Amino acid sequence: MTKIFISCALPYANGPCHLGHLRSTYIPADIYARYNRMAGNEVLMVCATDEHGTPIAVKADAEGKEPIEVAKRYHDMIVEDINSCDISFDNFARTTDEIHYQISQNFFKYLYDKGLIYEETIQQLYCENCEKFLPDRYVEGICPVCGAEARGDHCEVCGRALDPIELVEPRCLTCGNTPVIRDSTQYFFKLSHFQKPLEEYISTNPYLPPNVRNYAQNWLKEGLQDWIMTRDMKWGIPVPLEGAEGKVIYVWGEAFIGYMSSAAAWSRRTGIPWEDYWNGHVVHFIGKDIIYHHSLFWPAMLLGRDCKLPDDIFAGEFLSLEGRKMSTSKNWVVWVADFVKDFDSDLLRYYLTINAPLNKDTDFSWDEFQRRVNDELADVIGNFLHRTFTFTKKFFDGKVPEYKNPSEADLEFEQAIKELPDKVGELISEMKFREGLVEIILTAKKGNKYFNDQEPWKAVKEDMEKASNCLYLSNQLCKAMAVLLKPYIPNKADAICEIINIPTENTWDDAKVFLETGHEINKAKPLFKKIEDKVIEAQKEKLYKNLENQENESEDDKKDDKKSKESKDEGEKMDLISIDEFAKVEIKIGKILECEKIEKSNKLLKTQIDIGDKTIQVVAGLGKRYAPEDLIGKKVPVVTNLKPAKLMGEKSEGMIMATESAAILTPDDCEIGELLM
């Protein structure tokens, strides 16, 4: 028996759940938890709503409410969404709970006392009208890279991560005033201190899936930078240090701790130490967009706190919708609450599991959803169950018949039934949830073929032993599926158990135990109804109508809506441009002749770049990754026909091409002044 600690990424409490949340995190975690409980392991599965951070504060400001009111509203929605899909958490808490504040502050103080958190003065934007420093989400302006409207930390158009002080024409989101740059003292975590131990953890951990390992190793190759751990704002967990009044712990500095505080709340309720589970086998289920945080930043914090590291970090890939990226701002999304009004939640659990392995992006299609439900659940599993139960009731008085003198076909089918529990269990334990479900479907297909080949409707008149053997084995597969489907579609599995007349609470090994001859089953009832075309057409019409209405909004309406609907968005569909538009961008190979830090900025560097026919000055946000002396003499691709802009008072006449993490593209074999085609 193993103790297993399972956590799910904390849903952010500024909106309800959509299908993407379920697919990447909550459903796979629930399958894994349910299986392990049935397999005899002790499981503690926890989660909480993530209720701090600037987006919630911004939304509260826009609505004229307190942040806690916004967080409470969405916490209640999220809990309802999760419950509606039968996600079997042992505890679901909030990061605004008192116990979370206590544990988070103690964690921070421990790291500080150990010398792993330090003070540093940096440049930040300050609104003189509001009399406060502005966290990134409280600032809007013009992206210095592409010239589009951008928020303080990110440009939605070009995708570049930004520092608020880089914005052109910045403005305070609250009052519209132009902020000024001032010195601000913040607290930083020594992430760089853990470079070597994290390299070892990532490279030697046998449980990490390839997508997590590869992503983390790419970041490690670039070298870890210390991470800011505080913000100047009222909403959040106060920094527990003297002289740090008005500062709160950065949301990523305390959200992880929600796993532990939720578990601690469970311990208080049950009297069982949660630490025993953490010291067993720890699995985090997350989305791929937060791999960096969970594979590097969180383990570094745990190393600093002298805690055991997570064993497995399972990151589900993204779910798109009808071929487009989901977008909550454009209402191109299917909300869980809307789905369960019209369909059984088990259908959703089934489809989101069977549609693709979790290590691949996949698409939610209403037509494919209908096909899967009709062709697999209704025609394969449902058909086999119904025929078995109906024929047993009709020809054997509802009792499992005898099994004598089995034929070769009987023995082959019997072997398939007996092998199924171990096959499915092994796949689930390896996080291959889709593959386990596929095995059940394939065996049900074998069952239908076996049933057709044995023709029990004829055999009852010509060869009763043949008919009896057929229905005996068919009932055994029904019983096995009733148990094995429990992690996947728990409500339907219980309904099958009720018809078979067995308990709904089962161990995994119960699937291997055959029903005795004479066991009486209950009357059959339809378990999976086919979905009609008109139902799917109505869903698609509603979805596209939402998008049409959103796209017809005026530009002013969109700006107002953005302020009132700040949320974590899984991304907008990128607008395509023509080759003619792209041809307007002039990119040349340049050579950096001079490079120096800009005073009072820990990110911006001022460079002089030879582009062949002249030398231009470019201000680039590369300072956290490169020392100025490392860049001198380096060849870089440069956009040379951008409109000049001023950053920190310095003129910038172009843009060095680099990745979002500030890694420069290195065209070492190109000639200076050469155009990129």
Side-chain angles (χ1 to χ4, degrees), residues 605-625:
L605 301 178
K606 181 171 68 174
T607 65
Q608 304 297 324
I609 303 179
D610 177 8
I611 58 171
D613 54 346
K614 61 179 178 178
T615 298
I616 62 174
Q617 178 171 292
V618 176
V619 177
L622 307 173
K624 285 191 174 182
R625 188 183 184 95

mmCIF file of all heavy atoms in Angstrom, residues 605-625:
data_model
loop_
_atom_site.group_PDB
_atom_site.id
_atom_site.type_symbol
_atom_site.label_atom_id
_atom_site.label_comp_id
_atom_site.label_asym_id
_atom_site.label_seq_id
_atom_site.Cartn_x
_atom_site.Cartn_y
_atom_site.Cartn_z
ATOM 1 N N LEU A 605 19.196 47.253 -21.932
ATOM 2 C CA LEU A 605 20.569 47.518 -22.366
ATOM 3 C C LEU A 605 20.540 48.469 -23.558
ATOM 4 O O LEU A 605 19.679 48.352 -24.434
ATOM 5 C CB LEU A 605 21.276 46.220 -22.769
ATOM 6 C CG LEU A 605 21.400 45.126 -21.703
ATOM 7 C CD1 LEU A 605 22.077 43.903 -22.314
ATOM 8 C CD2 LEU A 605 22.172 45.618 -20.491
ATOM 9 N N LYS A 606 21.497 49.396 -23.598
ATOM 10 C CA LYS A 606 21.626 50.312 -24.742
ATOM 11 C C LYS A 606 22.759 49.812 -25.625
ATOM 12 O O LYS A 606 23.899 49.649 -25.162
ATOM 13 C CB LYS A 606 21.898 51.737 -24.264
ATOM 14 C CG LYS A 606 22.015 52.739 -25.406
ATOM 15 C CD LYS A 606 22.062 54.176 -24.910
ATOM 16 C CE LYS A 606 23.344 54.457 -24.155
ATOM 17 N NZ LYS A 606 23.471 55.883 -23.785
ATOM 18 N N THR A 607 22.460 49.556 -26.891
ATOM 19 C CA THR A 607 23.452 49.001 -27.806
ATOM 20 C C THR A 607 23.663 49.911 -29.016
ATOM 21 O O THR A 607 22.745 50.631 -29.441
ATOM 22 C CB THR A 607 23.013 47.615 -28.322
ATOM 23 O OG1 THR A 607 21.817 47.769 -29.111
ATOM 24 C CG2 THR A 607 22.716 46.665 -27.173
ATOM 25 N N GLN A 608 24.873 49.880 -29.556
ATOM 26 C CA GLN A 608 25.182 50.506 -30.846
ATOM 27 C C GLN A 608 25.442 49.360 -31.820
ATOM 28 O O GLN A 608 26.306 48.522 -31.588
ATOM 29 C CB GLN A 608 26.418 51.407 -30.736
ATOM 30 C CG GLN A 608 26.311 52.488 -29.672
ATOM 31 C CD GLN A 608 25.186 53.476 -29.946
ATOM 32 O OE1 GLN A 608 24.904 53.814 -31.101
ATOM 33 N NE2 GLN A 608 24.533 53.935 -28.881
ATOM 34 N N ILE A 609 24.657 49.320 -32.916
ATOM 35 C CA ILE A 609 24.701 48.172 -33.816
ATOM 36 C C ILE A 609 25.049 48.609 -35.236
ATOM 37 O O ILE A 609 24.379 49.475 -35.828
ATOM 38 C CB ILE A 609 23.345 47.433 -33.821
ATOM 39 C CG1 ILE A 609 22.976 47.004 -32.390
ATOM 40 C CG2 ILE A 609 23.391 46.222 -34.741
ATOM 41 C CD1 ILE A 609 21.639 46.301 -32.293
ATOM 42 N N ASP A 610 26.080 47.996 -35.783
ATOM 43 C CA ASP A 610 26.472 48.206 -37.179
ATOM 44 C C ASP A 610 25.571 47.352 -38.063
ATOM 45 O O ASP A 610 25.555 46.124 -37.943
ATOM 46 C CB ASP A 610 27.932 47.792 -37.358
ATOM 47 C CG ASP A 610 28.415 47.900 -38.803
ATOM 48 O OD1 ASP A 610 27.660 48.436 -39.650
ATOM 49 O OD2 ASP A 610 29.537 47.433 -39.080
ATOM 50 N N ILE A 611 24.790 48.006 -38.942
ATOM 51 C CA ILE A 611 23.908 47.257 -39.844
ATOM 52 C C ILE A 611 24.365 47.379 -41.303
ATOM 53 O O ILE A 611 23.581 47.215 -42.232
ATOM 54 C CB ILE A 611 22.436 47.706 -39.699
ATOM 55 C CG1 ILE A 611 22.280 49.197 -39.978
ATOM 56 C CG2 ILE A 611 21.898 47.340 -38.325
ATOM 57 C CD1 ILE A 611 20.817 49.651 -40.061
ATOM 58 N N GLY A 612 25.638 47.678 -41.490
ATOM 59 C CA GLY A 612 26.205 47.708 -42.834
ATOM 60 C C GLY A 612 26.348 49.101 -43.388
ATOM 61 O O GLY A 612 27.467 49.587 -43.603
ATOM 62 N N ASP A 613 25.245 49.795 -43.606
ATOM 63 C CA ASP A 613 25.309 51.128 -44.184
ATOM 64 C C ASP A 613 25.352 52.228 -43.128
ATOM 65 O O ASP A 613 25.624 53.384 -43.428
ATOM 66 C CB ASP A 613 24.114 51.364 -45.116
ATOM 67 C CG ASP A 613 22.776 51.117 -44.449
ATOM 68 O OD1 ASP A 613 22.756 50.518 -43.359
ATOM 69 O OD2 ASP A 613 21.742 51.519 -45.015
ATOM 70 N N LYS A 614 25.066 51.863 -41.867
ATOM 71 C CA LYS A 614 25.106 52.853 -40.790
ATOM 72 C C LYS A 614 25.098 52.127 -39.446
ATOM 73 O O LYS A 614 24.934 50.901 -39.375
ATOM 74 C CB LYS A 614 23.923 53.816 -40.884
ATOM 75 C CG LYS A 614 22.567 53.144 -40.761
ATOM 76 C CD LYS A 614 21.438 54.183 -40.851
ATOM 77 C CE LYS A 614 20.065 53.515 -40.779
ATOM 78 N NZ LYS A 614 18.965 54.500 -40.816
ATOM 79 N N THR A 615 25.252 52.900 -38.385
ATOM 80 C CA THR A 615 25.162 52.373 -37.027
ATOM 81 C C THR A 615 23.923 52.963 -36.366
ATOM 82 O O THR A 615 23.686 54.177 -36.446
ATOM 83 C CB THR A 615 26.415 52.736 -36.210
ATOM 84 O OG1 THR A 615 27.565 52.140 -36.833
ATOM 85 C CG2 THR A 615 26.304 52.230 -34.779
ATOM 86 N N ILE A 616 23.135 52.117 -35.735
ATOM 87 C CA ILE A 616 21.921 52.589 -35.071
ATOM 88 C C ILE A 616 21.979 52.241 -33.585
ATOM 89 O O ILE A 616 22.718 51.352 -33.168
ATOM 90 C CB ILE A 616 20.643 51.982 -35.688
ATOM 91 C CG1 ILE A 616 20.634 50.457 -35.524
ATOM 92 C CG2 ILE A 616 20.505 52.377 -37.150
ATOM 93 C CD1 ILE A 616 19.322 49.810 -35.974
ATOM 94 N N GLN A 617 21.181 52.970 -32.810
ATOM 95 C CA GLN A 617 21.088 52.691 -31.366
ATOM 96 C C GLN A 617 19.797 51.920 -31.097
ATOM 97 O O GLN A 617 18.728 52.309 -31.550
ATOM 98 C CB GLN A 617 21.089 53.999 -30.572
ATOM 99 C CG GLN A 617 20.935 53.783 -29.054
ATOM 100 C CD GLN A 617 21.159 55.051 -28.264
ATOM 101 O OE1 GLN A 617 22.287 55.550 -28.218
ATOM 102 N NE2 GLN A 617 20.105 55.567 -27.631
ATOM 103 N N VAL A 618 19.923 50.818 -30.379
ATOM 104 C CA VAL A 618 18.761 49.991 -30.041
ATOM 105 C C VAL A 618 18.762 49.717 -28.541
ATOM 106 O O VAL A 618 19.786 49.306 -27.977
ATOM 107 C CB VAL A 618 18.781 48.648 -30.805
ATOM 108 C CG1 VAL A 618 17.611 47.764 -30.351
ATOM 109 C CG2 VAL A 618 18.709 48.881 -32.310
ATOM 110 N N VAL A 619 17.622 49.974 -27.920
ATOM 111 C CA VAL A 619 17.436 49.632 -26.509
ATOM 112 C C VAL A 619 16.697 48.296 -26.457
ATOM 113 O O VAL A 619 15.625 48.149 -27.046
ATOM 114 C CB VAL A 619 16.633 50.717 -25.766
ATOM 115 C CG1 VAL A 619 16.382 50.291 -24.314
ATOM 116 C CG2 VAL A 619 17.380 52.048 -25.808
ATOM 117 N N ALA A 620 17.275 47.335 -25.779
ATOM 118 C CA ALA A 620 16.715 45.975 -25.776
ATOM 119 C C ALA A 620 16.613 45.434 -24.350
ATOM 120 O O ALA A 620 17.480 45.688 -23.517
ATOM 121 C CB ALA A 620 17.591 45.043 -26.623
ATOM 122 N N GLY A 621 15.551 44.675 -24.100
ATOM 123 C CA GLY A 621 15.314 44.101 -22.774
ATOM 124 C C GLY A 621 16.036 42.788 -22.570
ATOM 125 O O GLY A 621 15.414 41.753 -22.332
ATOM 126 N N LEU A 622 17.353 42.814 -22.660
ATOM 127 C CA LEU A 622 18.158 41.586 -22.597
ATOM 128 C C LEU A 622 19.001 41.498 -21.340
ATOM 129 O O LEU A 622 19.749 40.539 -21.154
ATOM 130 C CB LEU A 622 19.088 41.521 -23.823
ATOM 131 C CG LEU A 622 18.434 41.663 -25.200
ATOM 132 C CD1 LEU A 622 19.519 41.741 -26.277
ATOM 133 C CD2 LEU A 622 17.493 40.514 -25.468
ATOM 134 N N GLY A 623 18.869 42.494 -20.458
ATOM 135 C CA GLY A 623 19.795 42.613 -19.340
ATOM 136 C C GLY A 623 19.710 41.527 -18.297
ATOM 137 O O GLY A 623 20.675 41.309 -17.562
ATOM 138 N N LYS A 624 18.562 40.852 -18.195
ATOM 139 C CA LYS A 624 18.461 39.786 -17.203
ATOM 140 C C LYS A 624 19.114 38.501 -17.686
ATOM 141 O O LYS A 624 19.348 37.579 -16.908
ATOM 142 C CB LYS A 624 16.986 39.528 -16.861
ATOM 143 C CG LYS A 624 16.383 40.592 -15.971
ATOM 144 C CD LYS A 624 15.029 40.151 -15.439
ATOM 145 C CE LYS A 624 14.491 41.159 -14.440
ATOM 146 N NZ LYS A 624 13.202 40.744 -13.855
ATOM 147 N N ARG A 625 19.400 38.460 -18.985
ATOM 148 C CA ARG A 625 19.960 37.238 -19.562
ATOM 149 C C ARG A 625 21.431 37.389 -19.950
ATOM 150 O O ARG A 625 22.192 36.427 -19.899
ATOM 151 C CB ARG A 625 19.123 36.843 -20.785
ATOM 152 C CG ARG A 625 19.492 35.484 -21.336
ATOM 153 C CD ARG A 625 18.683 35.172 -22.584
ATOM 154 N NE ARG A 625 18.986 33.852 -23.038
ATOM 155 C CZ ARG A 625 18.306 32.751 -22.744
ATOM 156 N NH1 ARG A 625 17.246 32.845 -21.986
ATOM 157 N NH2 ARG A 625 18.659 31.574 -23.187
#
